[in-house]
Amino acid sequence: MSEKNREAKRSARERLQVQREQEKRRERRKRTLVVSAAVVGVLGAAAAIGLVATNANKDKGGSGASGPVLAPSGAQGKDELSIPVGMSDAPSTLTVWEDFRCPACGQFENAFRDTIKELETAGQLKVDYHLATIIDGNMGGSGSLRAANAAACAQDVGKFAPYHDTLFQNQPPEPDDAFADNARLLELAGKVDGLESAPGFRQCVEDGKHDKWVTNSNTAFQNGGFSGTPTVLLNGESVFPKKGAENITPANFKRWVTEANKGKQPGTAPATPPDTGASPS
């Protein structure tokens, strides 16, 4: 074989070697991207458990934020910032901080609604709902505020619980500020028997009657040292996403309440009798 042919073959082998090395590098980069995407997915799933309340101080009041603070009828607790559901004398209390735009809140509500209602009906549990607006601060918009005001308006006419559930059952994707539209909130009110036509409800929604109350509730959330929504406490102890070392599940949650209520009588007095009107606070 001539020297010229040997040189040509050597050059071909070298080019093939270079090509193989390039392919190996591309494959390594591809694997790195796949692994990185998987890690991001895991982090995203973890974030869905509880939304960190960063930038929540960006929230702004709505149309009624400059007027007097009007707490919804039957609101209780410090500064009347809690809306109670269930029996007032139930032996256990679940404290829930939620944002109607928060996807993790929707996941919690839709997964545990039946269990919570069963315990409420049995007089074993009262739920104190507190409303926050951190998604408005994080994502922009006013849907958290508008939905919370509408829920407070529903409380005025004794329809908070079913309307609260309807909002979470029809929750838009987090970036979609659909709840900023009062017309959408009134449309969803039509799914709750008697709410849309209840005296004063529509005007309350459109006027932002409880906006300042909602703003004060969100301020209380910010000042409470909570990491995000939903914040769920059973008799003052955090139970979401877990209680101690145990993950929350409907079965575990029911067991925790049963254990806490052992030897205690169930409640019989409704927390919020039907009422209308809101009182200045």
Side-chain angles (χ1 to χ4, degrees):
M1 181 181 294
S2 69
E3 184 64 28
K4 184 177 182 180
N5 286 340
R6 282 197 294 271
E7 184 65 28
K9 285 189 176 183
R10 185 164 51 249
S11 297
R13 284 197 301 270
E14 289 174 352
R15 286 196 301 272
L16 181 60
Q17 185 176 359
V18 169
Q19 183 179 356
R20 286 173 176 171
E21 288 297 324
Q22 290 174 340
E23 288 176 354
K24 288 180 181 179
R25 284 196 294 270
R26 282 196 296 269
E27 185 62 28
R28 284 195 295 269
R29 285 197 298 270
K30 183 178 178 181
R31 286 197 298 269
T32 300
L33 289 173
V34 169
V35 172
S36 298
V39 171
V40 170
V42 170
L43 291 175
I49 294 174
L51 180 70
V52 177
T54 56
N55 298 324
N57 60 353
K58 294 180 182 177
D59 289 352
K60 297 179 181 179
S63 57
S66 60
V69 179
L70 294 174
S73 178
Q76 298 177 359
K78 179 175 170 52
D79 298 324
E80 295 182 289
L81 295 178
S82 166
I83 295 179
V85 176
M87 302 299 173
S88 61
D89 53 348
S92 282
T93 298
L94 190 70
T95 302
V96 181
W97 290 87
E98 292 181 318
D99 182 325
F100 286 111
R101 287 181 69 188
C102 162
C105 298
Q107 291 168 8
F108 168 76
E109 284 294 336
N110 294 328
F112 290 89
R113 180 178 297 112
D114 292 345
T115 302
I116 291 173
K117 288 191 180 302
E118 179 185 341
L119 293 167
E120 288 173 350
T121 301
Q124 298 297 318
L125 188 70
K126 180 186 79 165
V127 183
D128 285 336
Y129 287 101
H130 297 260
L131 306 182
T133 60
I134 65 171
I135 306 298
D136 286 356
N138 290 344
M139 303 291 294
S142 60
S144 301
L145 174 63
R146 299 267 49 78
N149 171 72
C153 294
Q155 169 68 10
D156 284 342
V157 295
K159 302 285 186 179
F160 171 82
Y163 187 58
H164 162 276
D165 294 349
T166 296
L167 289 175
F168 278 119
Q169 288 166 337
N170 293 272
Q171 185 185 61
E174 185 179 12
D176 182 355
D177 197 23
F179 284 169
D181 184 0
N182 285 334
R184 175 57 176 160
L185 298 172
L186 292 169
E187 177 187 355
L188 291 175
K191 295 179 178 291
V192 178
D193 187 36
L195 177 56
E196 189 179 18
S197 60
F201 173 74
R202 175 179 290 271
Q203 195 68 44
C204 178
V205 172
E206 293 178 343
D207 289 350
K209 184 175 182 179
H210 298 298
D211 280 3
K212 192 167 184 179
W213 176 83
V214 174
T215 299
N216 286 359
S217 179
N218 187 65
T219 298
F221 172 79
Q222 293 174 354
N223 294 338
F226 307 119
S227 61
T229 55
T231 289
V232 185
L233 310 171
L234 176 61
N235 299 322
E237 181 181 1
S238 177
V239 295
F240 184 88
K242 57 178 58 181
K243 177 178 181 286
E246 289 188 283
N247 290 325
I248 188 171
T249 65
N252 280 349
F253 180 72
K254 185 182 288 189
R255 175 171 57 82
W256 298 337
V257 173
T258 300
E259 291 171 352
N261 292 353
K262 188 175 182 179
K264 300 176 183 177
Q265 293 298 313
T268 57
T272 51
D275 198 1
T276 58
S279 58
S281 60

